[in-house]
Amino acid sequence: MSETTETTEKTEPNTFPWGPATGVGSMPGGDAREAAKTVTGSFEDFPFLAELPARGPGADMIGRSLGLLVEMYAHVEPSGWRISDRPGRDTRRARSWLGEDLDALEEFAQGYRGPLKVQAVGPWTLAAALERRNGEAVLGDAGACRDLAASLAEGLRGHLAEVRRRVPGARVVLQLDEPSLTAVLRGRVRTASGYRTHRAVDRQVVESGLRDLVGANEGHGPVIVHSCAPDVPFALLRRAGVAGVSFDFGLLTERDEEAIGEAVEGGTKLLAGVVGSVDGPLSDPGGSVMGVRTLWRRLGLSPGILADSVVITPTCGLAGASPAYARAALAHCAKAARSLADNPE
């Protein structure tokens, strides 16, 4: 790793004006204006571009990200998304819905200045989900993986530039959603037949692929990686240059603790998912972050850096929640973050 990369990895998260709480990405329903209004009203310091997968194929996280690709296209098959020779109805629909979401964000974020998060599926989860013409995942072809990652990086540069044009006061944070990352690393992604699994991808190859995507937002804002799956590879993500890691706090185990402590000490931001993502009772805000405080003490970290090191989020996207619960969950995240800042010990 170059000296320059190491310095950026350690210092950028501490100098970038992160907000205390935000959402993961998806919201229930299909009304872009209502979602944007809810998000910007809930998080005055760290809103995000909402995703509304209930609208159908193309609004789901895979289809939405495939719509960003440059000179690569996909369409929906009964088995999922598959590479196409040319843009078709599914690609046009994905781009149209993204345009609606950007219009709504622009309307409700007028005059906003501060961090703004946008989400896209990362290269490895996308490679595990997208089928080649023979029905097998792109993941099984190293050359196709490289082409997909390059197309995604180029598409993201254009997308992020468009977000900055529409909300000129924003400092854009790019979130790469990688829920399949651990499965890719451990050889657990099944082939089309379901009887076998794809070979595990070498960790250095995975790291390199992510590092290339981190460059999509270089010079403008940090890149974070989100995974609501167990065994998030914190150390690998740090080496890839990500500025923050978003995860389901309830899935942490003792074996994760050393990596988390090293991440905090290295300046990596933790986006801790502590509020449930489906309908259920919400505890008091202080109770929601009690586990974070307990972990901090167990790791021997300074309480004084807790609020600056952690962003509070739901455990995952809220697409499966009711609209009323989604609004309550986002408000609860903001209250829990205030509780953490007011009482870090």
Side-chain angles (χ1 to χ4, degrees), residues 12 32 48 51 63 66 75 78 86 100 104 106 111 123 127 149 153 185 192 196 203 231 268 292 295 302 325 335 340:
E12 184 177 19
F48 61 96
E51 302 168 349
L66 291 173
H75 66 279
R86 59 185 63 85
E100 285 183 19
E106 182 178 6
L185 289 165
R196 297 186 299 108
R203 298 181 77 86
D231 300 320
T268 303
V292 178
L295 175 63
S302 168
Y325 178 82
K335 293 175 184 174
L340 200 63

Short mmCIF file of all heavy atoms in Angstrom, two decimals, residues 12 32 48 51 63 66 75 78 86 100 104 106 111 123 127 149 153 185 192 196 203 231 268 292 295 302 325 335 340:
data_model
loop_
_atom_site.label_atom_id
_atom_site.label_comp_id
_atom_site.label_asym_id
_atom_site.label_seq_id
_atom_site.Cartn_x
_atom_site.Cartn_y
_atom_site.Cartn_z
N GLU A 12 -8.94 10.81 6.43
CA GLU A 12 -10.15 11.35 5.81
C GLU A 12 -11.39 11.19 6.67
O GLU A 12 -12.16 12.13 6.83
CB GLU A 12 -10.38 10.71 4.43
CG GLU A 12 -11.57 11.31 3.72
CD GLU A 12 -11.76 10.74 2.33
OE1 GLU A 12 -11.22 9.67 2.02
OE2 GLU A 12 -12.47 11.39 1.56
N ALA A 32 -41.61 8.48 -4.58
CA ALA A 32 -40.27 9.06 -4.43
C ALA A 32 -40.30 10.35 -3.62
O ALA A 32 -39.39 10.60 -2.81
CB ALA A 32 -39.66 9.31 -5.81
N PHE A 48 -29.95 10.66 2.82
CA PHE A 48 -29.48 9.71 1.81
C PHE A 48 -30.49 9.65 0.66
O PHE A 48 -31.65 10.03 0.82
CB PHE A 48 -29.26 8.33 2.41
CG PHE A 48 -30.50 7.69 3.00
CD1 PHE A 48 -31.27 6.79 2.27
CD2 PHE A 48 -30.90 7.98 4.30
CE1 PHE A 48 -32.40 6.21 2.81
CE2 PHE A 48 -32.04 7.40 4.85
CZ PHE A 48 -32.78 6.52 4.10
N GLU A 51 -34.00 4.42 -1.88
CA GLU A 51 -34.31 3.40 -2.89
C GLU A 51 -35.68 2.82 -2.57
O GLU A 51 -35.99 2.58 -1.40
CB GLU A 51 -33.25 2.29 -2.85
CG GLU A 51 -31.83 2.78 -3.08
CD GLU A 51 -30.79 1.72 -2.74
OE1 GLU A 51 -31.18 0.70 -2.14
OE2 GLU A 51 -29.62 1.92 -3.07
N GLY A 63 -31.00 -4.20 -9.84
CA GLY A 63 -31.43 -3.56 -11.09
C GLY A 63 -31.07 -2.09 -11.15
O GLY A 63 -30.68 -1.57 -12.20
N LEU A 66 -27.41 -1.93 -11.95
CA LEU A 66 -27.16 -2.32 -13.34
C LEU A 66 -27.53 -1.20 -14.30
O LEU A 66 -26.92 -1.05 -15.36
CB LEU A 66 -27.95 -3.59 -13.67
CG LEU A 66 -27.49 -4.87 -12.96
CD1 LEU A 66 -28.44 -6.01 -13.25
CD2 LEU A 66 -26.07 -5.24 -13.40
N HIS A 75 -31.17 -7.49 -18.52
CA HIS A 75 -32.62 -7.61 -18.54
C HIS A 75 -33.04 -8.67 -17.54
O HIS A 75 -32.21 -9.44 -17.03
CB HIS A 75 -33.13 -7.99 -19.94
CG HIS A 75 -32.70 -9.36 -20.38
ND1 HIS A 75 -31.45 -9.61 -20.91
CD2 HIS A 75 -33.34 -10.56 -20.34
CE1 HIS A 75 -31.35 -10.90 -21.19
NE2 HIS A 75 -32.48 -11.50 -20.85
N PRO A 78 -36.61 -15.07 -15.53
CA PRO A 78 -37.23 -15.67 -14.34
C PRO A 78 -36.23 -15.96 -13.22
O PRO A 78 -36.58 -15.93 -12.04
CB PRO A 78 -37.84 -16.96 -14.89
CG PRO A 78 -38.14 -16.64 -16.32
CD PRO A 78 -37.02 -15.75 -16.76
N ARG A 86 -27.97 -5.07 -25.63
CA ARG A 86 -28.36 -3.67 -25.81
C ARG A 86 -29.33 -3.26 -24.70
O ARG A 86 -29.94 -4.13 -24.07
CB ARG A 86 -29.01 -3.45 -27.18
CG ARG A 86 -30.25 -4.29 -27.40
CD ARG A 86 -30.79 -4.13 -28.81
NE ARG A 86 -29.82 -4.61 -29.79
CZ ARG A 86 -29.73 -5.89 -30.16
NH1 ARG A 86 -30.53 -6.80 -29.62
NH2 ARG A 86 -28.85 -6.26 -31.06
N GLU A 100 -36.45 9.76 -11.20
CA GLU A 100 -37.52 10.24 -10.31
C GLU A 100 -36.98 10.47 -8.90
O GLU A 100 -37.32 11.46 -8.24
CB GLU A 100 -38.64 9.21 -10.24
CG GLU A 100 -39.54 9.15 -11.46
CD GLU A 100 -40.69 8.16 -11.26
OE1 GLU A 100 -40.97 7.82 -10.08
OE2 GLU A 100 -41.28 7.74 -12.26
N ALA A 104 -36.81 14.04 -6.80
CA ALA A 104 -37.39 14.23 -5.48
C ALA A 104 -36.35 14.70 -4.47
O ALA A 104 -36.61 15.61 -3.67
CB ALA A 104 -38.03 12.92 -5.00
N GLU A 106 -33.60 16.35 -5.13
CA GLU A 106 -33.25 17.73 -5.46
C GLU A 106 -34.28 18.70 -4.91
O GLU A 106 -33.94 19.77 -4.38
CB GLU A 106 -33.14 17.87 -6.98
CG GLU A 106 -32.72 19.26 -7.43
CD GLU A 106 -32.57 19.35 -8.94
OE1 GLU A 106 -32.90 18.36 -9.65
OE2 GLU A 106 -32.14 20.42 -9.42
N GLY A 111 -30.75 23.87 -1.01
CA GLY A 111 -30.01 24.64 -0.02
C GLY A 111 -29.25 23.80 0.99
O GLY A 111 -28.55 24.36 1.84
N PRO A 123 -19.06 -4.28 -6.53
CA PRO A 123 -18.73 -5.12 -7.68
C PRO A 123 -18.86 -6.61 -7.42
O PRO A 123 -19.19 -7.38 -8.33
CB PRO A 123 -17.28 -4.74 -7.98
CG PRO A 123 -16.74 -4.20 -6.69
CD PRO A 123 -17.90 -3.50 -6.05
N ALA A 127 -21.47 -9.06 -9.17
CA ALA A 127 -20.96 -10.20 -9.95
C ALA A 127 -21.60 -11.52 -9.52
O ALA A 127 -21.77 -12.44 -10.33
CB ALA A 127 -19.44 -10.29 -9.80
N ALA A 149 -16.73 -4.48 -13.09
CA ALA A 149 -16.25 -3.49 -12.12
C ALA A 149 -15.85 -2.19 -12.81
O ALA A 149 -16.15 -1.09 -12.31
CB ALA A 149 -15.08 -4.05 -11.33
N ALA A 153 -17.63 1.40 -12.16
CA ALA A 153 -16.86 2.56 -11.71
C ALA A 153 -17.12 3.77 -12.61
O ALA A 153 -17.32 4.89 -12.12
CB ALA A 153 -15.37 2.23 -11.70
N LEU A 185 -15.92 -14.51 -0.74
CA LEU A 185 -14.61 -14.83 -0.18
C LEU A 185 -14.51 -16.28 0.28
O LEU A 185 -13.42 -16.86 0.26
CB LEU A 185 -14.31 -13.90 1.00
CG LEU A 185 -14.02 -12.44 0.68
CD1 LEU A 185 -14.11 -11.59 1.94
CD2 LEU A 185 -12.65 -12.29 0.04
N ALA A 192 -25.68 -22.01 -11.07
CA ALA A 192 -27.06 -21.99 -11.56
C ALA A 192 -27.80 -23.28 -11.21
O ALA A 192 -29.00 -23.27 -10.92
CB ALA A 192 -27.07 -21.77 -13.07
N ARG A 196 -23.57 -26.96 -6.89
CA ARG A 196 -22.18 -26.62 -6.62
C ARG A 196 -22.09 -25.16 -6.19
O ARG A 196 -23.08 -24.43 -6.23
CB ARG A 196 -21.31 -26.84 -7.88
CG ARG A 196 -21.25 -28.28 -8.36
CD ARG A 196 -20.26 -28.42 -9.51
NE ARG A 196 -20.64 -27.61 -10.67
CZ ARG A 196 -20.02 -26.51 -11.07
NH1 ARG A 196 -18.97 -26.04 -10.40
NH2 ARG A 196 -20.43 -25.85 -12.14
N ARG A 203 -8.53 -13.22 -1.84
CA ARG A 203 -8.77 -12.01 -1.05
C ARG A 203 -8.08 -10.79 -1.66
O ARG A 203 -8.60 -9.67 -1.61
CB ARG A 203 -8.31 -12.21 0.40
CG ARG A 203 -9.06 -13.31 1.12
CD ARG A 203 -8.58 -13.47 2.56
NE ARG A 203 -9.11 -12.42 3.41
CZ ARG A 203 -10.30 -12.47 4.02
NH1 ARG A 203 -11.09 -13.51 3.84
NH2 ARG A 203 -10.69 -11.50 4.81
N ASP A 231 -19.95 -11.81 9.74
CA ASP A 231 -18.53 -11.94 9.41
C ASP A 231 -18.07 -10.92 8.37
O ASP A 231 -17.43 -11.26 7.36
CB ASP A 231 -18.21 -13.36 8.91
CG ASP A 231 -18.54 -14.42 9.95
OD1 ASP A 231 -18.27 -14.17 11.14
OD2 ASP A 231 -19.06 -15.48 9.57
N THR A 268 -11.21 4.61 10.84
CA THR A 268 -12.35 4.14 10.06
C THR A 268 -13.65 4.44 10.80
O THR A 268 -13.76 4.18 12.00
CB THR A 268 -12.25 2.62 9.81
OG1 THR A 268 -11.02 2.35 9.15
CG2 THR A 268 -13.40 2.13 8.96
N VAL A 292 -23.30 -0.55 22.01
CA VAL A 292 -22.16 0.17 21.46
C VAL A 292 -21.28 0.68 22.59
O VAL A 292 -20.05 0.56 22.54
CB VAL A 292 -22.64 1.35 20.58
CG1 VAL A 292 -21.46 2.13 20.04
CG2 VAL A 292 -23.52 0.84 19.44
N LEU A 295 -19.38 -2.29 24.13
CA LEU A 295 -18.26 -2.72 23.28
C LEU A 295 -17.10 -1.75 23.40
O LEU A 295 -15.94 -2.16 23.49
CB LEU A 295 -18.72 -2.81 21.82
CG LEU A 295 -17.63 -3.11 20.80
CD1 LEU A 295 -17.02 -4.49 21.06
CD2 LEU A 295 -18.18 -3.04 19.37
N SER A 302 -11.41 5.23 24.08
CA SER A 302 -11.78 6.46 24.80
C SER A 302 -13.23 6.84 24.55
O SER A 302 -13.65 6.94 23.39
CB SER A 302 -10.87 7.61 24.36
OG SER A 302 -11.38 8.85 24.83
N TYR A 325 -43.62 2.52 10.50
CA TYR A 325 -42.45 2.05 11.26
C TYR A 325 -41.17 2.64 10.68
O TYR A 325 -40.26 2.99 11.43
CB TYR A 325 -42.36 0.53 11.24
CG TYR A 325 -41.13 0.04 11.98
CD1 TYR A 325 -41.13 -0.08 13.36
CD2 TYR A 325 -39.94 -0.24 11.29
CE1 TYR A 325 -39.98 -0.48 14.05
CE2 TYR A 325 -38.80 -0.65 11.96
CZ TYR A 325 -38.82 -0.75 13.34
OH TYR A 325 -37.69 -1.14 14.01
N LYS A 335 -32.45 10.03 17.49
CA LYS A 335 -32.50 10.18 18.94
C LYS A 335 -31.42 9.34 19.62
O LYS A 335 -30.80 9.77 20.60
CB LYS A 335 -33.88 9.78 19.45
CG LYS A 335 -35.00 10.69 19.01
CD LYS A 335 -36.36 10.15 19.45
CE LYS A 335 -37.50 10.99 18.92
NZ LYS A 335 -38.82 10.38 19.23
N LEU A 340 -26.10 8.87 22.46
CA LEU A 340 -24.70 8.43 22.46
C LEU A 340 -23.75 9.60 22.65
O LEU A 340 -22.75 9.52 23.38
CB LEU A 340 -24.39 7.71 21.14
CG LEU A 340 -23.17 6.78 21.12
CD1 LEU A 340 -23.36 5.63 22.10
CD2 LEU A 340 -22.97 6.25 19.71
#
